[in-house]
Amino acid sequence: MIPSVRHRFNLPMKLDHYTTQCDYVLRFCPRTKNARKKLKSTLSDEGVSWPPADGAFLKSKATYEALVTFSREALTNRTDR
């Protein structure tokens, strides 16, 4: 999701366990379908297409916040454990 390590170190955004663990959950998992719809809507509002290209979540504060919200919802509300 982040194009390069150099790019990451120049970001004022904080990454956490939730936002770094969600590739399959983000794009394919049927369990996160509703959360993914909200995420896609926010991205669309910000002019980002789906599936998002590397760096797309870093386009604006809104796109990054949408990723953080999705990640936390998807990984803390799991029912498959």
Side-chain angles (χ1 to χ4, degrees):
M1 293 188 296
I2 299 173
S4 71
V5 173
R6 181 180 302 229
H7 187 87
R8 164 59 189 110
F9 284 117
N10 292 323
L11 295 173
M13 300 169 185
K14 182 179 177 184
L15 294 176
D16 62 16
H17 169 75
Y18 299 105
T19 55
T20 60
Q21 301 296 315
C22 65
D23 185 51
Y24 168 77
V25 174
L26 174 73
R27 296 180 14 185
F28 305 109
C29 182
R31 183 179 50 77
T32 59
K33 182 178 179 181
N34 291 332
R36 189 169 35 256
K37 283 182 185 179
K38 290 190 283 187
L39 176 62
K40 285 178 163 183
S41 176
T42 299
L43 293 178
S44 178
D45 291 346
E46 293 292 314
V48 176
S49 62
W50 189 265
D54 282 350
F57 290 111
L58 309 175
K59 180 178 179 185
S60 69
K61 185 174 181 177
T63 57
Y64 184 73
E65 292 293 327
L67 172 65
V68 169
T69 299
F70 171 87
S71 300
R72 286 190 181 277
E73 285 180 16
L75 296 172
T76 58
N77 296 324
R78 293 179 62 179
T79 58
D80 61 337
R81 295 182 197 192

